[in-house]
Amino acid sequence: MMDQMGEVEYAPGEPKGTPWHPHRGFETVTYIIDGTFDHQDSQGGGGTITNGDTQWMTAGAGLLHIEAPPESLVVSGGLFHGLQLWGEPAGRRQDDGPRYQDIRGGQVQLLTSPDGGALLRVIAGELDGHEGPGITHTPITMIHATLRVPAPRSSFPGGRTSTASRTCSRAAAPSAPSGGRSTPARPPSSARAAP
């Protein structure tokens, strides 16, 4: 199951989390596109994840956990956007011990299309021989793809025309490798939209 959280601009006092609750036999993967989220589990896993970070919790034989926005977001409000993927490990893996993975945005494999129109962040699994840092019990590939999508040409008075571009960002999982080729990307600071 995949649950999109947001995109929402919270007013002060609006952000809410969950109370302590049990999980058993499945994995939850929380990926934050914009904003900040705190997590803690009864096995000592947890932390704060923010823009581009992933929290990969394998409940295994069982644990308790809590998820909530940090107090600063509750007080001030602000942008929050993420997604959560729930997966069930195959067979007896459901009875394994719990595990927590803290995957920072800077740890993922960055790939780009040859024309620079797509930036792919490989979080887990493999794409075209490039592996993400996430360890999975189920063979999935989790990728966040940012696509530069050209806008239609616009005509202005006086016969001038302009073509604008906009950025489209989507996170997807699971994903099967495609036959397309990708190349390692430079750090995100070098990935800029065309003027």
Side-chain angles (χ1 to χ4, degrees), residues 103-194:
I103 303 168
R104 296 290 149 183
Q107 295 175 298
V108 303
Q109 276 282 348
L110 294 177
L111 307 174
T112 187
S113 61
D115 65 359
L119 177 65
L120 306 174
R121 296 160 187 89
V122 184
I123 299 164
E126 180 268 336
L127 177 67
D128 196 28
H130 302 278
E131 291 187 13
I135 299 167
T136 69
H137 285 302
T138 304
I140 66 167
T141 296
M142 183 170 175
I143 295 170
H144 176 182
T146 302
L147 307 174
R148 188 182 52 183
V149 181
R153 289 183 67 86
S154 300
S155 296
F156 296 95
R160 295 182 303 155
T161 61
S162 172
T163 303
S165 67
R166 61 187 186 272
T167 299
C168 174
S169 182
R170 293 287 182 258
S175 173
S178 69
R181 301 300 296 171
S182 54
T183 56
R186 285 176 264 180
S189 61
S190 66
R192 292 190 175 85

Side-chain angles (χ1 to χ4, degrees), residues 57-68:
M57 184 186 76
T58 303
L63 53 67
L64 297 173
H65 89 127
I66 187 171
E67 298 168 301

Side-chain angles (χ1 to χ4, degrees), residues 44-91:
T48 299
I49 56 175
T50 188
N51 309 331
D53 294 339
T54 304
Q55 164 228 287
W56 199 296
M57 184 186 76
T58 303
L63 53 67
L64 297 173
H65 89 127
I66 187 171
E67 298 168 301
E71 186 64 26
S72 60
L73 181 61
V74 174
V75 170
S76 67
L79 181 62
F80 183 79
H81 187 199
L83 65 88
Q84 195 168 67
L85 175 70
W86 292 34
E88 186 172 344

